[in-house]
Every structure is written in C-alpha cells, then in structure tokens.
C-alpha cells in the first residue's frame, strides 16, 4: 500500500503523456572544485579530502578537450525528430576570486565570472566558445546552478579563524568542506550555497539569486528558466525572487528538506510539474546516470531500468547527472569511462524506444496544461 502510494508520487506528472521524453540534467558546469591533480594530492596529504568522495577524485573545471569529446558522442545520435541528445547543463556562472578575498584579509567575499576562471587556464580557454557551439548544435543548454557553488557566509565565517581548516584549504583554492563549527555539522556543507543557519541569511540569498541570474543573462544572452539550487537546498522564500527573474522550473528532490535554520528542516513531498505557491513548477528527477559512482559498473543498466519505469508510468525520463562524469583533468580514465557509458546509454535508449525524444528542461513547458 505504502509502496504504491510512493510509486504514484514518484511517477506523478502534471500532464501525463505517452510521449517518450528524455531530459538529461547535468550539474556543476563552470564551477571549480579540484584545481589540479597536484592540488588534489596536496589536499589528500593534509587530510582535507578523502578518496571516498567521487567528486574529490575526479571533479575539476571542464577543459576544451572534455567538451569536444562529449560533443562528439552527443552528435553521433539523433532521435526520430532529427534532434541530437542534449544536456541541460546546470551551470555556476561564477567562482570565488581567491586573490581578492585574500587581499581583503578574508573579510570580504569577491567572485569572478566563470568565463574569467576558464580564460586563465590554457586547457579551458575555448570552453566558453564551445558552450556557444553546443547551443547552436542544440546539444548543450546551460541553465542556472546559482552564482558560485558555495555558501558565502559560512565560508567567510570559517575563514575568519586563521587556524581553521578553511584557511588551509583556501591556500589550495578549495572550499568543499563541512561546517564543523555548528550542531548537525554533517548536514551543513559549504557547497550548499542557499542552505541557511540563521533566517536573516535569506535576504542575502535573494541578492545572490538576483546577481546570479543577471550575470547568467549577461554571459549567455538569454534568461535562465530552470534553477537547481546547489545540493538542492534553499528556503521557499526565495521562490518569488526566482519567479520575478524569469525562472519557471525549480529542481527539488521528491522528498525535500527545506532548511529552517540551525540544522532544522521542513520535509515536503514533490512531484514533477507540481505548481508552487509562487507560481513555479517543480522538477523532480526520476533516473540517475552516474558512471563513476558504482565501482566496476558504468551505471547504464540501472539508468535504463529507471527510464523504462518512467515511460511505463507515462512520465518523462528526467535523468540526473554531473559534470564529474565527463571530465578528465584529474584522471583521464574517468572521462573515458563516462563517455563510453554515455555512448552506450544513448545507443540503448534509441534501440529500446525508437520513439524517444531528446528535449531540454526549457522545452518541458509545452507538455503541461495551464492549470
Ligand atoms: Zn552542484
């Protein structure tokens, strides 16, 4: 009974359709994580990161080659409409400006547009041109992952202590830490940009949302319509701001933990296409494609099973993915495995469901009725 209720929620869609829609949402584009293989080794040596976290094994700024190889795979396939598979690339449009923050003696936060981060690295200096090329070919469509993938206030708070682990990590341009100062510290990750400890932080989050969507438009020349909060955490009070700046879809888990502050959360159920009180639609992912998450497995078969389940229930397959699957800057074999798996996934989708259609989140509106 409980199982069937849960199932009906997982596969509830505002407007059920027998069309076999496939959306691949891929997070973290544009964001820095590990600066380099040497930087990673230094973090490991200092005990700041471990080998348990796959992002701390592989995730780094995308390179020219990463995108070129990824695009090659996407261009190999076409659906029945002649459309190539397309990544909805959930993008951070800025990164911390480490130099300026240090110059302020760790008192002020400064960011730089991610285009500056890219241009500083010769191996990534054509990435932004490739973003444009990917859009022209309709295989890569950036949407919003906020400004930086970082809780600015928590970080500054930690950095104020010159003996903190945050300072040690800062010297290696790294900030994916747990906020160890507070209760429930396992819940409080600096990467959760819009998680909060005090409710007064919400007003600052609103400013960051506005600044991120303004920068998105300046860089990409269109308004983002889809917002994935980093770590899927944000307070519902941000929704009117998101809506007023052009966002139509917000990415939430089926079982959302909305932060209320001080490590407390309100739990809410969501389903795909559900309308929020602020007039946004909720997007709930129902399939996972993470080729570097399961050891020897490439994650393709489990993803295909989830897609099959979505289609059986007449809802679009919303596939969850991260950039870490396709980047080779830390370990080239990670990219090789990820692209091989993507190739097998796309080939299998078209073989199993010849009427599958590849779309982006921005295309999804047309499949909803107006209620
Ligand atoms: Zn993310």
């Amino acid at each position: 009974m409980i199982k069937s209720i849960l199932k009906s929620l997982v596969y509830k869609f505002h407007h059920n359709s027998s069309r076999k829609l496939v959306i691949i949402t891929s997070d973290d584009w544009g964001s820095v994580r590990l600066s380099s293989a040497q930087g990673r080794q230094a973090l490991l040596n200092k005990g700041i990161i471990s080998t348990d976290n796959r992002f701390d094994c592989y995730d780094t700024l995308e390179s020219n080659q990463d995108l070129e190889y990824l695009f090659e795979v996407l261009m190999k396939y076409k659906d029945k409409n002649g459309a190539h598979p397309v990544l909805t690339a959930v993008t951070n449009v800025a990164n911390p400006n480490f130099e300026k923050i240090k110059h302020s003696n760790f008192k002020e936060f400064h960011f730089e547009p991610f285009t500056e981060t890219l241009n500083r690295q010769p191996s990534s200096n054509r990435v932004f041109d490739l973003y444009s090329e990917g859009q022209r070919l309709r295989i890569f469509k950036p949407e919003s992952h906020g400004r930086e993938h970082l809780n600015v206030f928590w970080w500054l708070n930690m950095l104020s202590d010159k003996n903190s682990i945050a300072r040690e990590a800062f010297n290696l341009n790294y900030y994916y830490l747990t906020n160890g100062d507070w209760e429930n510290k396992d819940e409080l990750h600096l990467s959760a940009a819009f998680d909060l400890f005090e409710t007064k932080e919400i007003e600052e989050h609103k400013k960051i949302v506005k600044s991120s969507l303004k920068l998105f438009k300046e860089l990409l020349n269109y308004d983002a319509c889809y917002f994935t909060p980093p770590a899927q955490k944000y307070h519902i009070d941000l929704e009117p701001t998101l809506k007023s700046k052009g966002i139509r879809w917000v990415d939430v888990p089926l079982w959302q933990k909305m932060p209320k502050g001080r490590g407390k959360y309100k739990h809410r159920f969501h389903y795909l296409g559900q309308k929020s009180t602020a007039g946004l639609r909720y997007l709930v992912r129902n399939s996972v494609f993470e080729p570097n998450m399961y050891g020897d497995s490439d994650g393709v078969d489990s993803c295909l099973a989830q897609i099959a389940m979505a289609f059986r229930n007449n809802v679009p397959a919303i596939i969850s993915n991260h950039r870490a699957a396709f980047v080779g800057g830390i370990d080239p074999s990670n990219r090789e495995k990820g692209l091989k798996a993507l190739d097998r996934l796309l080939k299998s989708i078209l073989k199993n469901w010849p009427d599958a259609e590849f779309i982006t989140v921005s295309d999804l509106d047309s499949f909803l009725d107006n209620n």
Side-chain angles (χ1 to χ4, degrees), residues 48-62:
I48 295 172
I49 61 168
S50 75
T51 52
D52 299 344
N53 183 315
R54 69 193 170 101
F55 296 101
D56 287 334
C57 292
Y58 308 118
D59 198 22
T60 189
L61 194 65
E62 60 269 25

Side-chain angles (χ1 to χ4, degrees), residues 27-28 145 149 230-231 322:
D27 296 355
D28 299 344
H145 204 20
H149 207 304
H322 286 79

Side-chain angles (χ1 to χ4, degrees), residues 239-298:
E239 290 190 357
T241 308
L242 289 163
K243 169 93 175 153
S244 73
K245 296 295 163 193
I247 294 295
R248 301 193 299 274
W249 290 90
V250 179
D251 196 322
V252 290
L254 179 76
W255 181 238
Q256 184 192 16
K257 290 169 74 179
M258 191 199 79
K260 293 199 298 184
R262 299 195 166 263
K264 303 268 186 295
Y265 294 89
K266 183 177 178 180
H267 293 86
R268 305 162 77 210
F269 256 123
H270 293 297
Y271 62 87
L272 180 60
Q274 182 186 15
K275 206 167 188 176
S276 81
T277 42
L280 297 162
R281 296 277 186 187
Y282 291 127
L283 185 114
V284 180
R285 304 177 187 198
N286 54 28
S287 310
V288 175
F289 174 59
E290 298 289 6
N292 57 17
M293 198 156 74
Y294 312 100
D296 286 343
S297 160
D298 63 3

Side-chain angles (χ1 to χ4, degrees), residues 183-199:
E183 58 199 271
N184 294 326
K185 64 180 182 182
D186 289 345
E187 298 275 4
L188 299 170
H189 291 277
L190 291 196
S191 64
F194 301 109
D195 198 354
L196 57 97
F197 195 66
E198 303 287 356
T199 45

Side-chain angles (χ1 to χ4, degrees), residues 20-69:
K20 298 197 167 39
L21 306 173
V22 178
I23 293 178
I24 306 171
T25 52
S26 184
D27 296 355
D28 299 344
W29 296 89
S31 171
V32 292
R33 183 157 183 146
L34 297 166
S35 57
S36 62
Q38 294 89 322
R40 174 174 180 262
Q41 195 53 52
L43 288 163
L44 278 171
N45 293 347
K46 286 178 179 291
I48 295 172
I49 61 168
S50 75
T51 52
D52 299 344
N53 183 315
R54 69 193 170 101
F55 296 101
D56 287 334
C57 292
Y58 308 118
D59 198 22
T60 189
L61 194 65
E62 60 269 25
S63 71
N64 306 329
Q65 221 171 40
D66 292 336
L67 281 185
E68 283 165 350
Y69 288 175

Side-chain angles (χ1 to χ4, degrees), residues 14 32 37 79 89 98 101 132 169 176 185 191 226 326 332:
H14 191 73
V32 292
D79 68 13
F98 289 89
I101 295 167
S132 305
Y176 284 78
K185 64 180 182 182
S191 64
Y226 167 50
F326 307 124

